[in-house]
Amino acid sequence: MKTRLTLSSFSSVFRHGRLSLALLAVLCASLVLAACGDNTATTAPAPTTAAATTAAAATTAAQATTAAAATTAAATTAATTAAATTAATATTAAAATTAASSDAPALGDPNLKGTVTFWHTYSADSKEQDTLKNVVLPGFAKLYPNVKVDAQQIPDTDFRQKLLTGISGDILPDVARLDIQYVPEFADMGALAKLDDMPGFAAIKADAYPGPLSTNFWKGSYYGLPLDTNTKVIMYNKALLDAAGLTAPPKNMDEFIAAAKKLTVPGKQYGFVPSGTGAWSILPFFWSLGGNVTDENITKASGYLNSADSVAALQQLVDLKKAGVMPDAIFGGGISTMEGLATGQYAMIDDGPWMNSIAASQFPNFTLNYAPMPAGKGGSIGIVGGEDLVMFAKSKDSPAAWAFSRYMLSKDVQLAMGKIGQLPAIKSVATSPELASLPYYSTFLTQLQSTKARLPHPAWTKIETVLNDTFEAAFRGDKDVKTLLDAAAPKVDALLAGTK
Amino acid sequence: MGLNTAPSPVSKEIARKSRPDGPAEPGQPLAEPAKEAWWYPFKKALPVYLFILPGVILFLVWTVYPLVNMFVMSFFQWNLVKPSIFLGFDNYARAFGDEIFWQALRNTIFYAVISVPGQLILGLAVALLVNQKLPFRAFFRTMFYLPVVSSWLVVSLIFMYLYNSQAGLLNYLLKDILHIIPSYQAWLQNPVTALFAICALGIWKGVGWTMVIFLAGLQSVPPTLYESAAMDGANTWRRFWHITLPLIRPTIVFATVMLSIGAFNVFIQVYVMTGGGPQHSTETLMTYMYSEAFKFLDLGYGAALSWIFAIGIFIISILEIRFLRRPVEY
């Protein structure tokens, strides 16, 4: 039976059971309009279609204002130009305000009331978690008896994801301990609070090392405090070095490469094993051998990532893999590098200060030895890791959140955390005698003087994927190093420019 | 249609007339108004609509609205806090110029081409076996179905142990017991073997489901056909080829369509076991969409990818139904 859909035949349309379809179509149409209205309203004050309901209009207006409020902080200059000045401005700004400003109020206020939700990634079942619970939080409760801190541990691997979900669902903590590589990304999203004008910020800024401090800087403002810092150094098995007749760890890259080959017994012992083929594992060696990812202002990778120096640097590392110095386990699977080192299968690895306590508990009979990154054409360059303390723009209790943030940067907390491997980024604490007596400390402190950070750029997560893919392909020998780097450079260019 | 086709007013009228104890008062005209109001059928069917309303609302809120919203998002550079930027068809154009997208597509098709026939053939074989009058038949059926009801996450983790590059069972069997491979292999970290390893898990987990579907199909074949064929001298193979296969054709079509849709949606095992690596060698459409949308927060691009996948799966399903469905009757 056929029915022509005219107004007069509507009743027969219904009768044939198509009402639900018609209703669906109408509802879909209105949903499209509502959803469109949502976006046109936030993009530009363009007039929405007449069909947009008043309710939808009202909500979009509200959203538009909150979004605007949140983003007024972030100046909307072009991403490239801002990135260009990031590092430079950060260092000069830090240098300019050397004198600690005296307007910083002292910590402690029994009248301050509030609740601070604190998301952190301090390892569960570790000294970090213990110190936070037993030393840091009780100390804060003494200074601010009426501020409640709700500290929640979140596994490191899920943290960024959880924050992103939190942003979309508007469920965020007041304060978070965020990996330094993500701060520009979240700042660029408009999720973080600007800290430049907070009371006491200038004092912290003046006392911070410029490298870690610069990871908080994005488009003219600071969005975090340098909570802790770290870098990786060479760790070696002294027994294996002795057996090979090496009396001291290699000082420069030539010695390092020669030693790595000498320490290799095919199929049985590997001379040097990086923790993987990703950017975090490879970049310090790539840099030290003279390689570069971008220009100094982080605007361009072409001509840098695929320069002759970069190709040569990566080639030397790939050659080590080809020579059998590194096992296939660098592609994943297999034992941890620390286990390989402690059990005498690996002669040299590289890792961070946290490894001291892990090694002590897992391999109590093994003595870990440290050496700085070997110096090559690019110098002895470590990679900066660490965490920043950020406050969220939508924090409901920002005075309490700020008090907690300042407390976390105070000398007591920094010392307590520093003793268990969380190296302070605050000069006055980093140089204190309590820390200098730690066995591993001096090597890391020396290395921290010459480090590079992964690109402080919102697109870093994607750039990292490009680098990871490129490095892995090179180590696997899929294509030659130059071809791979030539292919990667324009991809990174596009990501830096924000054009995807 | 069922509930939606309320009896037409005309037939109601006849029913009322023929009923002596009808509600109509004597003397009052029995006929309805000659021209019924347009909303009359709607009013009649109102209880029906009220009954389906909760379901429709849930469907609209949780399925239709996200789909529509995602369609809108696919035209934007969608930002969570900052205002979104309208891009037109840029996200779609970008997908077709994205080499990882094509690799993910190739991998997904590879996974489908390996795992769908694998599940069909093994599932049919197992169904034929457990359709016999065996001792412990119910036990075997249960055992083969067990992987289906276990969680993807759990079996993925178990298979990771199986494939472990050091202490994995597979390495132990192949190297230490059978001496087939010279050294331990990192099955999931090797771009050559990783996708096969994931296909194997997919087949293992899917065989039970296919078995149950085929079992139902096999039991709908009338036994008389086999009896008369046997009388005509048809051997087992000919009976399978000329009776069983044609008659379970609708079941095969159904299983193929469902398995293909499932194969194109392959996600959890890849996400858990390899995360799409090494070097995107196990990247599938779903894992790529997921990482673009939620890892890199490129929500607009992720939405565009989702729509491309959805349309692709839709087209493939229609093609499969068209080419495979040919009614057979005896």
Side-chain angles (χ1 to χ4, degrees):
Chain A
M1 201 192 287
K2 278 183 185 158
T3 326
R4 279 182 55 211
L5 196 97
T6 58
L7 205 65
S8 61
S9 65
F10 238 57
S11 60
S12 55
V13 172
F14 292 158
R15 200 177 304 152
H16 295 301
R18 293 185 193 162
L19 177 72
S20 51
L21 272 179
L23 268 176
L24 244 175
V26 170
L27 270 158
C28 285
S30 55
L31 283 169
V32 170
L33 289 172
C36 284
D38 218 7
N39 231 284
T40 39
T42 44
T43 320
T48 45
T49 22
T53 57
T54 45
T59 49
T60 47
Q63 277 183 5
T65 39
T66 48
T71 44
T72 39
T76 46
T77 43
T80 47
T81 46
T85 52
T86 304
T89 327
T91 14
T92 48
T97 49
T98 38
S101 48
S102 53
D103 65 326
L107 283 172
D109 181 358
N111 297 320
L112 188 65
K113 286 191 179 110
T115 307
V116 180
T117 313
F118 174 45
W119 287 5
H120 64 82
T121 49
Y122 287 118
S123 315
D125 307 322
S126 74
K127 284 183 185 168
E128 296 169 12
Q129 185 85 296
D130 294 345
T131 310
L132 181 73
K133 255 188 208 155
N134 303 331
V135 181
V136 176
L137 294 181
F140 183 74
K142 260 182 216 157
L143 288 168
Y144 297 91
N146 290 314
V147 178
K148 192 176 162 287
V149 178
D150 179 13
Q152 298 177 15
Q153 199 267 343
I154 287 149
D156 189 40
T157 44
D158 304 339
F159 196 51
R160 179 173 164 275
Q161 197 61 57
K162 176 135 185 173
L163 281 177
L164 292 177
T165 318
I167 288 174
S168 53
D170 221 351
I171 307 161
L172 284 171
D174 299 292
V175 180
R177 173 182 184 256
L178 185 61
D179 193 306
I180 54 168
Q181 58 181 329
Y182 302 133
V183 175
E185 186 181 6
F186 283 97
D188 193 53
M189 265 179 234
L192 304 182
K194 271 210 288 193
L195 303 180
D196 306 63
D197 302 328
M198 290 293 195
F201 175 78
I204 292 170
K205 188 169 98 173
D207 200 14
Y209 282 113
L213 182 70
S214 73
T215 62
N216 295 292
F217 192 75
W218 177 244
K219 286 189 180 173
S221 297
Y222 287 93
Y223 291 91
L225 303 173
L227 182 62
D228 53 68
T229 185
N230 59 57
T231 187
K232 295 189 296 174
V233 297
I234 301 286
M235 300 181 183
Y236 60 93
N237 184 319
K238 193 163 186 306
L240 295 186
L241 261 70
D242 288 346
L246 297 165
T247 50
K251 285 189 183 56
N252 58 48
M253 273 294 174
D254 292 339
E255 279 181 39
F256 176 75
I257 288 169
K261 287 181 178 161
K262 201 173 178 184
L263 287 162
T264 299
V265 181
K268 191 168 162 280
Q269 183 182 312
Y270 297 94
F272 163 63
V273 186
S275 52
T277 55
W280 169 253
S281 305
I282 297 305
L283 278 179
F285 296 91
F286 179 71
W287 286 329
S288 296
L289 284 162
N292 273 305
V293 179
T294 64
D295 60 331
E296 262 179 41
N297 296 328
I298 316 176
T299 55
K300 206 161 167 298
S302 284
Y304 297 90
L305 184 58
N306 55 351
S307 67
D309 281 349
S310 293
V311 173
L314 187 55
Q315 188 64 56
Q316 289 180 73
L317 293 166
V318 170
D319 286 345
L320 283 180
K321 171 76 184 79
K322 275 195 196 136
V325 167
M326 304 170 186
D328 281 342
I330 58 170
F331 300 120
I335 54 174
S336 73
T337 52
M338 189 61 222
E339 186 183 344
L341 186 75
T343 55
Q345 300 172 60
Y346 301 168
M348 296 187 286
I349 63 168
D350 73 316
D351 226 314
W354 53 83
M355 198 44 85
N356 180 61
S357 60
I358 295 175
S361 69
Q362 287 185 352
F363 307 100
N365 298 324
F366 176 72
T367 313
L368 203 49
N369 288 282
Y370 305 87
M373 283 291 299
K377 198 174 177 184
S380 156
I381 309 292
I383 188 165
V384 187
E387 277 84 13
D388 293 326
L389 201 65
V390 295
M391 249 172 76
F392 286 85
K394 286 192 176 173
S395 167
K396 286 178 194 72
D397 219 336
S398 63
W402 176 244
F404 180 69
S405 301
R406 280 187 63 211
Y407 169 74
M408 289 301 284
L409 269 288
S410 69
K411 187 166 183 181
D412 292 346
V413 175
Q414 290 284 308
L415 264 183
M417 282 294 181
K419 280 179 193 162
I420 53 164
Q422 300 285 313
L423 304 188
I426 302 296
K427 287 179 217 160
S428 58
V429 184
T431 51
S432 67
E434 290 101 314
L435 293 178
S437 59
L438 295 169
Y440 58 91
Y441 193 75
S442 67
T443 315
F444 284 101
L445 198 64
T446 315
Q447 189 65 60
L448 275 171
Q449 311 298 321
S450 70
T451 50
K452 274 190 187 173
R454 288 156 288 177
L455 310 183
H457 193 279
W460 164 249
T461 333
K462 273 203 162 174
I463 296 171
E464 188 184 21
T465 311
V466 174
L467 294 179
N468 289 353
D469 288 350
T470 306
F471 290 159
E472 184 174 349
F475 278 97
R476 284 189 190 275
D478 292 351
K479 286 179 186 156
D480 74 272
V481 168
K482 174 135 180 49
T483 313
L484 286 167
L485 290 178
D486 278 341
K491 288 186 202 164
V492 178
D493 283 345
L495 289 168
L496 288 172
T499 55
K500 300 282 153 50
Chain B
M1 290 280 174
L3 288 171
N4 275 349
T5 44
S8 76
V10 181
S11 59
K12 276 259 178 79
E13 201 177 317
I14 293 166
R16 200 184 296 175
K17 268 182 189 165
S18 62
R19 237 180 339 181
D21 53 346
E25 295 287 318
Q28 230 176 345
L30 286 171
E32 309 249 345
K35 204 154 191 280
E36 60 190 40
W38 66 267
W39 44 264
Y40 182 74
F42 179 66
K43 193 182 156 193
K44 276 271 176 195
L46 191 62
V48 178
Y49 291 127
L50 283 178
F51 274 115
I52 61 169
L53 189 64
V56 169
I57 288 176
L58 287 178
F59 177 71
L60 286 174
V61 170
W62 299 110
T63 307
V64 177
Y65 176 72
L67 274 177
V68 171
N69 209 15
M70 195 175 79
F71 186 65
V72 174
M73 278 167 77
S74 71
F75 295 98
F76 285 85
Q77 184 197 310
W78 193 269
N79 297 320
L80 287 176
V81 184
K82 290 194 297 185
S84 301
I85 300 160
F86 184 73
L87 293 179
F89 281 93
D90 280 9
N91 281 329
Y92 290 91
R94 189 177 140 204
F96 292 110
D98 183 342
E99 58 187 80
I100 301 174
F101 167 75
W102 291 111
Q103 190 172 0
L105 184 65
R106 279 196 302 276
N107 290 340
T108 311
I109 291 173
F110 180 88
Y111 179 84
V113 165
I114 296 279
S115 73
V116 172
Q119 288 172 78
L120 281 177
I121 294 167
L122 286 174
L124 183 56
V126 172
L128 287 169
L129 284 176
V130 299
N131 199 29
Q132 314 287 319
K133 288 195 173 63
L134 296 167
F136 302 114
R137 190 169 68 167
F139 170 76
F140 285 119
R141 286 183 181 177
T142 314
M143 289 312 285
F144 278 110
Y145 199 68
L146 217 52
V148 183
V149 292
S150 354
S151 124
W152 266 115
L153 184 65
V154 171
V155 298
S156 300
L157 291 172
I158 291 173
F159 267 65
M160 279 177 79
Y161 284 113
L162 219 63
Y163 291 133
N164 187 289
S165 62
Q166 298 295 314
L169 182 64
L170 190 62
N171 274 331
Y172 177 68
L173 276 179
L174 292 180
K175 179 172 178 287
D176 298 331
I177 304 282
L178 298 171
H179 305 289
I180 293 174
I181 51 171
S183 63
Y184 286 158
Q185 299 293 310
W187 302 101
L188 291 174
Q189 284 79 32
N190 184 333
V192 182
T193 55
L195 196 50
F196 282 102
I198 287 173
C199 286
L201 166 60
I203 293 173
W204 173 80
K205 194 166 187 306
V207 161
W209 183 84
T210 326
M211 175 200 74
V212 167
I213 300 296
F214 277 132
L215 214 47
L218 287 176
Q219 282 165 2
S220 71
V221 179
T224 49
L225 289 177
Y226 292 115
E227 283 162 22
S228 52
M231 257 185 250
D232 290 341
N235 61 21
T236 316
W237 169 249
R238 290 181 73 88
R239 272 179 285 173
F240 171 71
W241 190 256
H242 290 292
I243 298 173
T244 313
L245 268 191
L247 281 178
I248 61 164
R249 196 186 179 101
T251 315
I252 299 178
V253 174
F254 171 75
T256 310
V257 172
M258 296 308 285
L259 289 176
S260 318
I261 294 174
F264 277 91
N265 280 307
V266 56
F267 175 71
I268 302 176
Q269 64 268 51
V270 180
Y271 184 72
V272 172
M273 291 167 80
T274 63
Q279 292 181 285
H280 306 290
S281 67
T282 61
E283 196 80 79
T284 63
L285 295 176
M286 284 296 142
T287 54
Y288 189 52
M289 183 272 287
Y290 181 85
S291 59
E292 285 299 317
F294 299 109
K295 189 173 162 202
F296 302 129
L297 220 66
D298 218 334
L299 292 168
Y301 188 44
L305 289 174
S306 306
W307 269 95
I308 295 174
F309 305 161
I311 292 166
I313 293 172
F314 186 68
I315 290 170
I316 287 170
S317 307
I318 286 183
L319 288 179
E320 279 176 345
I321 291 172
R322 270 193 92 103
F323 283 116
L324 294 174
R325 177 166 285 173
R326 187 156 39 98
V328 176
E329 281 177 53
Y330 286 108

